[in-house]
Structure formats: structure tokens, C-alpha cells
Amino acid sequence: MQLSVAHPTPPRLPQNQKWWRSAMFTRSLLGLVAVLNGYLIVQMYAQREYLFAMLTLLLVGTGLYLFASRKAYSWRYVYPGLVGMGLFVLFPLFCTIGIAFTNFSAVHQLSFERAQTVLLQRQFQSGNTVNFNLLGSDGHWQLQLQDDAHQQVLLSAPFALDKQPQRLTMVPQTADAGLSKAPLKVITKNRQALGQLTAVMPDGSELVMSSLREFSGIKPLYNLQSDGRGLLNNQTGVLYLPNNATGFYQAVDAKGQWVNDARLSPGYTVNIGWANFLRVLQDKGIQQPFIKIFIWTVLFASLTVLFTLAVGMVLACLVQWQPLKGKAVYRLLLILPYAVPGFISILIFKGLFNQSFGEINMLLQQMFGIKPEWFTNPMLAKAMILIVNVWLGYPYMMILCMGLLKAIPDDLYEASALDGATPGQNFFRITLPLLIKPLTPLLIACFAFNFNNFVLIQLLTNGGPNMLGTSTPAGNTDLLVSYTYRIAFEGSGGQDFGLAAAIATLIFLLVGALAVLNLKASKLSVEQ
């Protein structure tokens, strides 16, 4: 029989004063963060930014719990990384996918409530129009209205032009105010401040500044109906109802039918389901350029990886060649293109390939009598882009291959020399197989980078030459990423962010599928 020995509980030590101060400082700091973020959350909620309010509440609440609780101490080191991934990777991804299912565009940026508020704030001139004078000097102004309809002159109390909304009660002028009239240049200078004035007439009507010399009556252009949704035009008597199919307030006739081409801007954002994706698949003006641009994007990324790898590997083998003298100078010269900022090199090449004054065309004309149309011929434009991109990318591949070449044992080359192998056989039988395996992940990353190489296309050709007969702006040298950008910001019918987000979602799925295929292919090559 074993007896359990009870170990005495050690006496608790008194709290360290330094630790206590540190704990109080931490809790005070957490409390301050909680108060500030609570205020921000309330402001977001008041502005109807419910998504951002909920996101801020979730992130801040989780962070406060982790940093205040001892049980979750280990999660403090993981939390910043998770927040960063959520804010900069997942949140933009989910927002893009969410926008793809809406009609969000340049004319549909507001919520329904905000669009309704903007329309209700519109006014039109109605009623009496009177001439006005501004009397006085800086800091002591009075507004004088000459009401010819009622044969009277009205004067306001003194006020200051401080660009703040002010209501001035106008009363009949009984005697000369003794103040000089401000010249037109003073009125022009203070036009914005005068526009904030509302003159209240003796009969209760209100006038506002309508020109540099007149005040006119105003009325709200639209009145909200009892249903809380319809808007009645007080000037024409036309009734407008929200049309959720188009995201606009649209006029209706006496039979309740929609009146075409009678919409009020701004529109509002509505959920349109799969409409944007169906446009990509069904609209010939979008489908055909999308397929062509997708094929060119894959071809461009693949050829760029192939050519940069070939040039970089050959140059790396040459500068590592033992009999070559001055290898350090050659390495420096060949790496220089990598040291120059890419956008500078692209702009320089844009000038070199200029069809009329570029040095490349001048040289080709003198030698062969030809002047290629680099920027107007689709095939030549694509060839130019590949040439420039290979120039920008080969130093990176050369540096990688130079490092990997040093890892290849010299014994392999010595053994092949005894067997009488040629330099070409050494390259294809020893060098290339030993370089490809460690380079495969980097080649996949290079492919993914060039798949979305927006800067090169934007600075060199801007996607041109343009395709004809398309519903959206599209060019023969556009990549999917630049095509999406042009839809989002250069569309003739307005900036169509919803369609651009749908195409961006498809790009994400395509790139993800290609990445999975490349990873599987690289895994199989490594296993073999």
C-alpha cells in the first residue's frame, strides 16, 4: 500500500510593485483602445457603415480578449498575422466577390437610402425674384433686397460672411442704412458664403442667391410620398418609383408602367445575382475579347518564363565558364538591367520602339529598309512586349542560375569529360536537369507574377492596339488584369465595377487552377 504524501503549498509571495505598475499600464492602454474603438464603431453605425462597424467590433473585441486574458496568452503572437491575412487578403477577396453580384458602377455607388436623400435635397427656383445689394464692410454686412412686386425695400440684421448656413429675417427698410454698397468684385469673392444665406421674407417665403445680383424663391424638387419610396416632382408632377431591376428611380405613367429614358441619377446599388458573370459568358462583345485576352495572357506568361529562363541560364553558364577572362565585368554589365527601376526601362524602350523617331526603327530602316509598326500591328506589339519583358526578367534568372551552378559537383563534369562528352551534352544531361528541379517553384512564381504584369502593359502599350466591335474597352495586348482595369475605369458607359469584379473573380479562379496544376506538375517532376 502506497501512501500519498501531501506536499505543502508554498507561501504566496507579495506582488512585485514593478509588475503591478506594468499590469496597470497595460490595462489602462487596453481600456483606452476599447473606448476609442467603441466611439469609432458608433460613428460607423451612425453613418450606416454596418459592415465596417461589425468588422471593427470583431477584430478589436478579439484583440482585447487575447491581450487581457492569461488563458489566451499564446494566441497573442498569432493574432497579428491572422488579422493581417484577414484584412489584406480575405477581406478584399470577399469584397470583390460581393461586388461581382451587384450593379456597382459610377452611377450606382450609393445605397438606396443615400440616393433617396440626395434626390430629396435637390431644389428648383420658384416664386419671386428680387435684386439684392450687399451693404457694409468686412465683419459688418447687411443684405438689402429690392422687392419691386410689393414696392418695398427689405433689410436684414448685420451678419458675418463666414461660409456657414445662416437664416436672415428680412424687414422693411424705414430709413437709409448709411452703408455703402459692396462692388461686384466683393460679391464675386464671397459668392460661396452668400450662397449659404437664406432670406426669410415677411410673408414666410424663403429666397436664396440665384445669381450675382438676384435672390430667388426655392422649393424642394421632389416630395417623398406616403409609402416612403415614391418621389413626386413638384415642377412637372411626374411620379418616380424605385426600379430595383435597374437601380434607378424611374418615372411611371398613369397605368403604372415604366417610362423609358426617364431615370433619376444618382442610382443605387442592388443585387443582380449572376448577371455580370452571364454577361461575360453570353455577351459576344465581352466573351470574344475575354477569351482572346485569356489565351494571350497565358501565352505571354509562359513565353516570358521560357525565354527569361533560357537567356538567364545560358548567360549564367557563360559567365561561369573557366577560360572566360573578365568574368566580374561581364556579371556587372549583365546584372545592370535588374538594378534600373522597371518603369524607367519600360519608358526608355517605349521611346526606342517609336515608329517614327525611335532608334530601333531608324536602325532597321538603314539596314533592311523596313519600319515595323510596333504599336499598331497586334503581332508586332506582342513581340515588342515579350522583348522588353525578357530584358527586364533575364537578370533575375541569371542570378538564380549562377548560384545553383556553384552547387553542382565538379566531379560530374570530370566524369563526363573522361567519357568524351561535348559541352552541349554536359548542358542537357547534367546542368539543365540539376537546375530545373530547384528552379521549378521560382518558375511558378514568375509565371504568376507575369500573369498579372499590369505595369508593363499600362506603361508600354496601354493595351493597344484596340480591338474593334467589343462592348467593353479591350486591346490586343491587354492582359486580364489590364482588361479588368479598363472596364473598371475607362468604360464609355460608366465605370462598371460590378463587371470588373466578376472578371477579377474569374481571374482568381483561373490563376488558382493554374497554380494547382503547376504545383502538381512540379511535384511529379521532383518525384521522378
Side-chain angles (χ1 to χ4, degrees):
M1 181 177 180
Q2 295 182 352
L3 298 177
S4 59
V5 180
H7 297 281
T9 303
R12 298 183 63 182
L13 298 176
Q15 290 185 345
N16 186 283
Q17 187 175 7
K18 184 177 181 181
W19 175 89
W20 183 82
R21 290 180 178 178
S22 176
M24 290 300 297
F25 174 78
T26 302
R27 293 183 180 276
S28 300
L29 182 61
L30 292 176
L32 179 62
V33 171
V35 171
L36 291 177
N37 282 276
Y39 174 77
L40 292 177
I41 292 171
V42 172
Q43 292 297 319
M44 292 178 189
Y45 187 84
Q47 296 294 326
R48 297 181 179 178
E49 297 291 345
Y50 304 122
L51 178 61
F52 290 100
M54 293 176 60
L55 183 62
T56 304
L57 178 62
L58 177 63
L59 295 179
V60 175
T62 305
L64 291 174
Y65 170 75
L66 294 180
F67 283 91
S69 174
R70 293 186 179 182
K71 296 180 180 180
Y73 187 87
S74 58
W75 286 92
R76 299 179 186 180
Y77 305 99
V78 183
Y79 178 74
L82 294 177
V83 171
M85 183 181 69
L87 289 178
F88 301 112
V89 178
L90 298 179
F91 182 71
L93 177 61
F94 291 147
C95 283
T96 302
I97 295 175
I99 292 173
F101 291 91
T102 67
N103 65 339
F104 188 57
S105 64
V107 294
H108 298 95
Q109 295 187 19
L110 305 178
S111 64
F112 172 76
E113 293 79 7
R114 179 58 181 158
Q116 187 184 77
T117 302
V118 171
L119 293 173
L120 289 174
Q121 289 175 348
R122 293 181 178 175
Q123 299 172 331
F124 71 101
Q125 296 183 11
S126 175
N128 193 19
T129 298
V130 299
N131 296 326
F132 81 92
N133 293 309
L134 188 63
L135 308 179
S137 58
D138 290 341
H140 186 80
W141 299 105
Q142 286 183 274
L143 182 66
Q144 185 185 62
L145 301 181
Q146 298 178 357
D147 189 358
D148 296 334
H150 297 86
Q151 299 295 322
Q152 62 179 346
V153 177
L154 304 174
L155 191 67
S156 72
F159 63 92
L161 291 174
D162 53 4
K163 298 183 180 180
Q164 297 295 326
Q166 301 182 61
R167 295 175 61 84
L168 305 177
T169 301
M170 308 302 298
V171 297
Q173 182 177 348
T174 57
D176 187 5
L179 299 175
S180 60
K181 297 180 181 180
L184 184 61
K185 64 178 182 180
V186 175
I187 296 176
T188 304
K189 180 181 178 181
N190 297 280
R191 184 172 184 174
Q192 184 177 359
L194 290 170
Q196 300 293 324
L197 302 179
T198 300
V200 182
M201 304 296 283
D203 59 359
S205 61
E206 297 181 354
L207 307 181
V208 295
M209 182 180 176
S210 57
S211 68
L212 292 177
R213 283 304 185 189
E214 291 182 339
F215 265 59
S216 302
I218 58 168
K219 288 184 178 180
L221 183 58
Y222 301 103
N223 276 345
L224 185 64
Q225 299 299 289
S226 58
D227 59 359
R229 297 176 65 84
L231 297 179
L232 181 64
N233 190 314
N234 292 323
Q235 195 171 11
T236 62
V238 177
L239 178 64
Y240 292 86
L241 295 177
N243 186 349
N244 292 331
T246 60
F248 284 104
Y249 263 98
Q250 191 167 346
V252 293
D253 56 19
K255 298 180 180 180
Q257 301 296 323
W258 298 115
V259 178
N260 295 328
D261 300 327
R263 299 172 178 176
L264 301 180
S265 292
Y268 54 92
T269 304
V270 293
N271 192 334
I272 58 175
W274 297 91
N276 288 321
F277 295 94
L278 294 177
R279 287 178 63 189
V280 178
L281 300 176
Q282 297 176 355
D283 189 343
K284 296 297 182 181
I286 301 176
Q287 180 192 67
Q288 293 179 356
F290 178 82
I291 294 175
K292 291 180 180 179
I293 291 172
F294 171 69
I295 295 174
W296 158 240
T297 302
V298 176
L299 189 63
F300 165 76
S302 303
L303 291 178
T304 297
V305 173
L306 178 62
F307 291 151
T308 54
L309 176 62
V311 175
M313 188 177 296
V314 170
L315 292 177
C317 293
L318 289 177
V319 296
Q320 298 286 79
W321 188 35
Q322 293 296 335
L324 183 65
K325 296 181 180 180
K327 291 184 288 185
V329 177
Y330 292 126
R331 290 195 192 101
L332 177 62
L333 294 176
L334 292 173
I335 293 174
L336 278 179
Y338 195 56
V340 179
F343 74 93
I344 294 179
S345 298
I346 294 171
L347 295 177
I348 291 174
F349 271 105
K350 187 174 184 178
L352 292 176
F353 279 102
N354 186 279
Q355 296 175 185
S356 301
F357 309 105
E359 286 77 3
I360 293 178
N361 269 16
M362 293 173 62
L363 182 62
L364 291 175
Q365 186 178 20
Q366 291 179 0
M367 295 179 62
F368 307 105
I370 59 174
K371 293 181 67 174
E373 299 176 347
W374 297 106
F375 292 92
T376 56
N377 186 293
M379 293 303 297
L380 291 178
K382 293 177 180 179
M384 175 185 64
I385 288 175
L386 284 172
I387 292 171
V388 175
N389 207 31
V390 170
W391 170 267
L392 296 173
Y394 86 83
Y396 175 70
M397 288 296 178
M398 188 185 71
I399 294 173
L400 293 176
C401 293
M402 287 170 55
L404 293 174
L405 283 173
K406 293 183 178 296
I408 299 177
D410 294 334
D411 297 344
L412 298 177
Y413 295 105
E414 294 175 0
S416 66
L418 295 175
D419 293 337
T422 63
Q425 291 174 329
N426 285 339
F427 179 79
F428 288 104
R429 298 289 181 86
I430 299 175
T431 305
L432 185 59
L434 293 177
L435 290 180
I436 284 296
K437 289 185 178 181
L439 279 176
T440 300
L442 299 174
L443 296 178
I444 295 173
C446 182
F447 177 88
F449 171 79
N450 286 286
F451 197 91
N452 294 315
N453 197 341
F454 173 77
V455 175
L456 174 65
I457 304 300
Q458 188 71 12
L459 294 182
L460 191 57
T461 64
N462 195 25
N466 290 329
M467 296 181 185
L468 301 178
T470 61
S471 303
T472 54
N476 286 280
T477 59
D478 266 323
L479 303 180
L480 284 176
V481 61
S482 61
Y483 177 52
T484 305
Y485 173 84
R486 296 181 70 177
I487 291 175
F489 298 103
E490 298 179 6
S492 59
Q495 299 170 345
D496 199 340
F497 302 117
L499 179 60
I503 295 178
T505 303
L506 294 176
I507 293 174
F508 167 74
L509 296 176
L510 292 172
V511 173
L514 291 173
V516 171
L517 292 176
N518 283 332
L519 289 173
K520 288 186 177 180
S522 63
K523 184 178 179 180
L524 291 175
S525 64
V526 171
E527 291 177 353
Q528 293 175 358

